[in-house]
């Protein structure tokens, strides 16, 4: 029997299969460019079938990390990154994919925070994942806050600049609009006067190019403001930054820590800020944990 974790992201979907008596296997695919929900679900079906064929075992339980907002019944109410998913009944989709498996799901940021808490041994922790969007979660006393029955912890939608960029949620200055991977690349492209790829940003930042440094420092300052603000409320043992964008850009987490130090006030230092123990795979490992029953849906 297989325990399966699925991390549904804005750009790609990652799978981690843990079969009985065999090594775990990870794989991923990129969403189709069309953005149509039918094409997305077809791609999800194809990859799931490939994973199951590779292992040759049936699925006991599936945990899914979801960036979209779901109602209590598992229906998508909002996902600006893939608007065609609005109204999709995720329970039906997963049930068709895995008809005999136990299904559990949760917000990707919340599950990532729980996974980081498990991996680091810290019972009080704040997590921010920087990728296509920004997800986040808070764990206090080993439990996810605010808890599965009260909605997800939307750290990416903390407002850090009232005059800032327009967020895909409709507001201005959310940390996601200021510090996500696409936001950073847009800012770098505007400063350089030409479209900048992630590889070019990474190289430019490593070389100290002004357009790259300015773009990254802006994003890190926005993240630092969010983390310092949350730290004033919950006093975590640590804050960790993960997600594919942050994990792939050397110096990004360190710069965020430096920016946070500048915002400290006497007697109230910000929480230590470091890289996520699980790198860019925190949400995926959180999905596996929820498949095991470690995080309730």
């Amino acid at each position: 029997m297989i325990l399966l974790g699925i991390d549904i992201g804005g750009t790609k979907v990652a799978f981690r299969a843990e079969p009985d008596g065999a090594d775990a296997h990870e794989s991923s695919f990129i969403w189709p460019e069309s953005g149509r929900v039918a094409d997305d679900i077809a791609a999800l079906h194809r990859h799931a079938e490939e994973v199951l064929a590779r292992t040759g075992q049936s699925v006991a339980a599936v945990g899914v990390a979801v960036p979209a907002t779901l109602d209590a019944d598992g229906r998508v109410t909002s996902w600006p990154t893939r608007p065609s998913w609005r109204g999709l009944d995720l329970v039906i989709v997963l049930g068709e994919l895995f008809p005999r498996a136990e299904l559990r799901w949760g917000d990707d940021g919340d599950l990532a925070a729980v996974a980081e808490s498990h991996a680091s041994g810290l019972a009080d922790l704040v997590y921010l994942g920087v990728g296509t969007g920004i997800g986040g979660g808070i764990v206090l006393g080993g439990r996810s806050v605010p808890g599965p029955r009260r909605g997800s912890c939307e750290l990416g939608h903390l407002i850090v600049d009232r005059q800032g960029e327009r967020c895909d949620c409709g507001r201005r200055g959310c940390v996601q609009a200021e510090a996500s991977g696409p936001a950073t690349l847009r800012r770098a492209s505007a400063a350089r006067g030409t479209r900048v790829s992630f590889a070019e940003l990474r190289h430019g930042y490593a070389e100290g190019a002004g357009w790259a440094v300015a773009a990254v420092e802006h994003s890190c300052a926005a993240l630092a403001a969010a983390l310092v603000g949350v730290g004033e409320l919950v006093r975590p043992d640590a804050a960790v930054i993960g997600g594919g964008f942050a994990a792939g850009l050397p110096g990004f987490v360190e710069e965020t820590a430096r920016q946070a130090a500048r915002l400290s006030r006497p007697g109230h230092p910000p929480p230590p800020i470091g890289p996520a123990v699980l790198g860019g795979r925190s949400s995926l490992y959180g999905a596996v944990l929820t498949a095991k029953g470690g995080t309730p849906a």
Side-chain angles (χ1 to χ4, degrees), residues 26-42:
E26 295 184 13
S27 59
S28 64
F29 71 90
I30 303 296
W31 285 123
E33 292 185 3
S34 71
R36 292 190 295 266
V37 67
D39 295 339
D40 290 349
I41 299 307

Side-chain angles (χ1 to χ4, degrees), residues 133-216:
I134 289 184
I138 299 172
V139 175
L140 297 178
R143 299 179 64 86
S144 182
V145 175
R149 305 301 176 194
R150 299 181 60 128
S152 58
C153 184
E154 298 287 352
L155 294 181
H157 291 290
L158 290 177
I159 296 173
V160 292
D161 183 354
R162 291 173 57 197
Q163 307 303 318
E165 296 294 326
R166 178 78 67 181
C167 183
D168 56 20
C169 75
R171 301 188 304 203
R172 285 192 178 276
C174 292
V175 66
Q176 178 165 290
E178 299 296 322
S180 68
T184 309
L185 289 171
R186 283 194 297 270
R187 193 176 301 109
S189 298
R192 195 183 187 193
T194 186
R195 185 174 180 179
V196 173
S197 68
F198 178 72
E200 290 170 330
L201 177 68
R202 182 172 54 197
H203 178 74
Y205 187 60
E207 294 296 312
W211 56 269
V213 171
V216 171

Side-chain angles (χ1 to χ4, degrees), residues 38 50 57 59 75 94 98 118 126 139 145 150 160 193-194 211 219-220 232-233 246 257 260 263 278:
E50 291 171 5
Q57 298 183 21
V59 179
R75 188 180 298 275
L94 294 174
F98 312 105
H118 276 249
V126 174
V139 175
V145 175
R150 299 181 60 128
V160 292
T194 186
W211 56 269
S219 296
C220 293
E232 295 282 7
L233 297 175
L263 298 176
L278 300 171

Side-chain angles (χ1 to χ4, degrees), residues 52-69:
L52 298 184
R54 184 180 297 116
T55 62
Q57 298 183 21
S58 58
V59 179
V62 180
V64 186
V66 187
T69 302

